[in-house]
Amino acid sequence: MRPFAYQAPDDTGAAVRSVAERPDAVFLGGGTNLVDHLRLGVVSPGLLVDVTALTSTEITEVGGGLRVGAGVPNSELAADARVRSRYPVLAQALLSGASGQLRNMATTGGNPLQRTRCMYFQDVSTPCNKREPGSGCSAIGGSTRNHAVLGTSEHCIATHPSDMAVAMAALDAQVLVLGPDGERTIPFTELHRLPGDTPERDTVLEHGELITAIDLPELPMARRSRYRKVRDRASYAFALVSVAAALDVDGGVVREARIAFGGVAHAPWRARRAEEALRGATVSDESFAAAAAAELTDARPQPGVDGGNEFKIALLTRTLVATLRDLAREEA
Amino acid sequence: MDPDTTLRVDGVTHHLDLDPRASLLDTLRQRLGVMSPKKGCDHGQCGACTVLVDGRRVLACLSLAVAQDGHEITTADGLSEDGADHPVHRAFVEEDALQCGYCTPGQVCSAVGALDEFARGWPSAVTTDVAADPELDDAEIAERMSGNLCRCGAYKGIRAAVADAHREVSR
Ligand SMILES: Cc1cc2nc3c(=O)[nH]c(=O)nc-3n(C[C@H](O)[C@H](O)[C@H](O)COP(=O)(O)OP(=O)(O)OC[C@H]3O[C@@H](n4cnc5c(N)ncnc54)[C@H](O)[C@@H]3O)c2cc1C
Ligand code: SF4
Ligand code: FES
Ligand code: FES
């Protein structure tokens, strides 16, 4: 491991200046992804700026919604009574991720910025455009079971691994950012990028920009919301596919739906076409499946040495139908 | 150049000059001779290195030691008070919750952390209604302990031990 310096500055402004000044500096949150990558040689920064004690560890009421400090551990966010009753989809998404120990360490700011679990990205002996731009993509034509079917490019087919991010995308969360040029707010659905021809950039954040908090807007319909995750083991495994959904039903007809998919794209995938297809539809498995089909018209499954990932189309469709069916029952 | 780091480990204070690259796990084992946390994978995937930091269970392999400055670290060794075993220690022995014992110190620390989380009313991924207070049944124990792998497959005894310890501490 390349030697690096460690700093724990006194405030967020100093932390942002420290990172902005040095191209090889990075922020350190809970370290559950970054420390692993230091050890694997995936990244080799010269300076780590610890922000866990700088950003807020509080969850506060803001205009009918909640403001979650970037330092709030994933475990405490999932355990918060307000989150559990007002945004159950978020509590469930957090609880379905990683393990008790990891959730105690992982932070609200670090979680959405965790890198892909693409096995080639993590193996420095293989070409990877995300790790080493221009070197090629080992996943295309390789093992694609864990890879994307939506929004891919010829340069990268990786998925974003976070469960929390899928719920945040469905809830229309807002990301509060402090950078060298001041503050800005980014809609959560615009934080992550599609790979295009620059897969090395996961998000729209510029170097030195620090996530200070995430706002959850007031959303009464989210009281009836769910996260459903399908994976190879019952626990302690990343999603093959996942669905975050909230449903507002009136007299057997869908008034409004909020839907996001995980495990199928380079970003948490807000399913706006599916939402549109559901508006005014009668509650039935057929209309739920039609909503999945509307979202998946542009899906491009990958062949692969492991049999490929075409199974994700059927799996995601069934997972969406099951999730919406459960939510509709809750309403009845 | 590197800042002095103060670690309190199992009740003993240590002042250390650390390379920022040193993990908490390697620091405990290599610098302080505290051998109960084990290195199973060094990548956050097995739980063998689980310790308590300020009472919360975490993975020592993914923690940088310099970032633990001023914090209170408790290993499976340090759970004993005045030579008496912790209720979780006793339950592991009584339920025969181990074979080789390699994963055991991590399991024990994780169980102590999990029972504390349960006592705070924290839900888990198998809690049917996340908004309600959960009951600690076998499925809840299995889910809450899923971050600790056991290569000997002693899971049945481990789940029973956690249930026993829960009955004892909540009495
Ligand atoms: C074995 C294992 C299993 C896992 N399973 C799951 C799972 O099933 N589902 C899931 O969702 N996740 C899972 N995870 C991933 C885990 O959730 C993430 O590693 C964690 O959320 C990252 O948060 P952190 O605070 O530890 O980030 P760090 O590792 O500290 O940082 C991650 C990245 O974010 C940057 N960063 C950190 N904080 C900020 C900030 N405030 N502003 C700007 N940049 C910042 C860092 O520079 C770094 O690039 C798993 C991890 C492991 C090791
Ligand atoms: S899919 Fe993306 S992350 Fe994986 S090898 Fe290809 S370029 Fe790298
Ligand atoms: S050694 Fe830390 S989780 Fe395996
Ligand atoms: S008892 Fe041998 S690894 Fe668990």
Side-chain angles (χ1 to χ4, degrees):
Chain A
M1 204 189 293
R2 179 185 161 200
F4 55 79
Y6 170 88
Q7 279 179 12
D10 291 328
D11 60 75
T12 49
V16 167
R17 277 192 300 280
S18 286
V19 171
E21 265 164 24
R22 277 184 70 160
D24 68 343
V26 294
F27 297 116
L28 171 69
T32 59
N33 196 225
L34 183 58
V35 174
D36 193 18
H37 284 169
L38 292 170
R39 204 161 284 148
L40 290 166
V42 169
V43 290
S44 44
L47 170 67
L48 265 58
V49 177
D50 192 340
V51 296
T52 46
L54 301 184
T55 50
S56 169
T57 55
E58 312 258 292
I59 305 169
T60 47
E61 296 277 349
V62 175
L66 294 175
R67 173 160 298 172
V68 185
V72 173
N74 288 179
S75 55
E76 290 189 20
L77 183 56
D80 186 274
R82 294 162 295 182
V83 172
R84 287 159 66 182
S85 60
R86 281 146 67 174
Y87 311 99
V89 63
L90 178 59
Q92 290 171 357
L94 285 159
L95 292 168
S96 76
S99 67
Q101 293 94 312
L102 286 159
R103 292 192 295 272
N104 277 336
M105 303 169 75
T107 61
T108 304
N111 184 311
L113 302 181
Q114 61 176 298
R115 316 287 317 266
T116 182
R117 304 303 285 199
C118 171
M119 65 168 89
Y120 306 104
F121 175 73
Q122 293 178 315
D123 176 355
V124 296
S125 70
T126 59
C128 166
N129 287 326
K130 186 180 279 299
R131 182 168 27 77
E132 231 181 285
S135 63
C137 171
S138 300
I140 295 175
S143 164
T144 59
R145 181 173 169 76
N146 293 313
H147 288 75
V149 295
L150 287 165
T152 53
S153 77
E154 58 183 311
H155 304 287
C156 179
I157 57 169
T159 54
H160 194 269
S162 164
D163 292 297
M164 179 187 95
V166 182
M168 295 271 190
L171 292 171
D172 277 324
Q174 303 285 319
V175 185
L176 277 60
V177 172
L178 178 67
D181 304 323
E183 295 176 326
R184 64 173 175 140
T185 302
I186 306 170
F188 199 92
T189 49
E190 289 166 30
L191 177 66
H192 297 88
R193 300 174 66 256
L194 292 180
D197 56 9
T198 50
E200 67 276 16
R201 293 194 60 198
D202 292 352
T203 69
V204 299
L205 293 181
E206 301 292 338
H207 182 72
E209 284 195 313
L210 175 75
I211 295 181
T212 56
I214 297 184
D215 279 357
L216 304 171
E218 182 176 21
L219 189 65
M221 70 180 284
R223 285 181 177 274
R224 265 176 301 262
S225 61
R226 279 177 187 241
Y227 189 72
R228 188 153 177 158
K229 173 173 175 179
V230 183
R231 41 185 160 174
D232 284 328
R233 296 186 294 277
S235 186
Y236 205 14
F238 285 91
L240 288 169
V241 303
S242 68
V243 169
L247 197 64
D248 185 359
V249 172
D250 186 25
V253 174
V254 177
R255 242 199 306 233
E256 210 190 327
R258 295 293 179 90
I259 299 169
F261 298 151
V264 291
H266 195 258
W269 191 269
R270 179 70 181 268
R272 295 192 195 276
R273 286 188 196 168
E275 292 176 5
E276 186 54 46
L278 283 169
R279 212 162 286 135
T282 47
V283 169
S284 71
D285 285 6
E286 290 68 33
S287 36
F288 299 158
E295 195 63 48
L296 289 167
T297 43
D298 295 338
R300 288 241 174 80
Q302 296 287 329
V305 292
D306 53 1
N309 66 8
E310 191 164 7
F311 73 93
K312 286 193 176 185
I313 306 291
L315 188 58
L316 184 62
T317 302
R318 286 190 215 119
T319 307
L320 179 66
V321 170
T323 310
L324 294 176
R325 193 195 288 144
D326 284 347
L327 281 169
R329 251 185 228 142
E330 245 179 79
E331 286 260 338
Chain B
M1 188 51 220
D2 298 333
D4 265 352
T5 306
T6 301
L7 298 182
R8 258 182 83 76
V9 180
D10 294 339
V12 182
T13 303
H14 303 270
H15 300 286
L16 297 164
D17 205 7
L18 292 167
D19 186 306
R21 290 173 290 184
S23 70
L24 177 60
L25 179 60
D26 287 343
T27 303
L28 290 171
R29 292 179 60 87
Q30 297 171 6
R31 292 285 299 274
L32 303 177
V34 176
M35 303 309 252
S36 74
K38 300 290 186 278
K39 190 184 282 189
C41 66
D42 221 17
H43 291 288
Q45 297 171 352
C46 75
C49 65
T50 304
V51 299
L52 302 167
V53 172
D54 302 330
R56 298 285 169 93
R57 53 177 173 161
V58 302
L59 300 178
C61 71
L62 293 184
S63 306
L64 294 179
V66 284
Q68 305 306 318
D69 188 28
H71 292 286
E72 181 89 39
I73 292 130
T74 309
T75 72
D77 279 349
L79 288 168
S80 312
E81 269 178 38
D82 309 321
D85 287 342
H86 187 277
V88 171
H89 287 146
R90 285 201 300 277
F92 267 67
V93 173
E94 275 154 30
E95 293 290 351
D96 210 8
L98 61 144
Q99 287 184 42
C100 76
Y102 193 83
C103 71
T104 313
Q107 301 276 5
V108 166
C109 284
S110 189
V112 171
L115 290 175
D116 176 62
E117 291 161 12
F118 179 78
R120 292 166 191 268
W122 289 14
S124 86
V126 299
T127 308
T128 319
D129 177 3
V130 277
D133 272 345
E135 302 271 343
L136 198 65
D137 59 15
D138 195 55
E140 282 278 357
I141 292 173
E143 166 59 26
R144 286 163 195 262
M145 292 296 291
S146 74
N148 293 81
L149 306 191
C150 173
R151 63 191 177 185
C152 302
Y155 296 111
K156 195 163 172 270
I158 294 167
R159 296 204 303 274
V162 176
D164 286 3
H166 170 61
R167 272 191 293 275
E168 172 149 359
V169 295
S170 54
R171 198 162 33 215

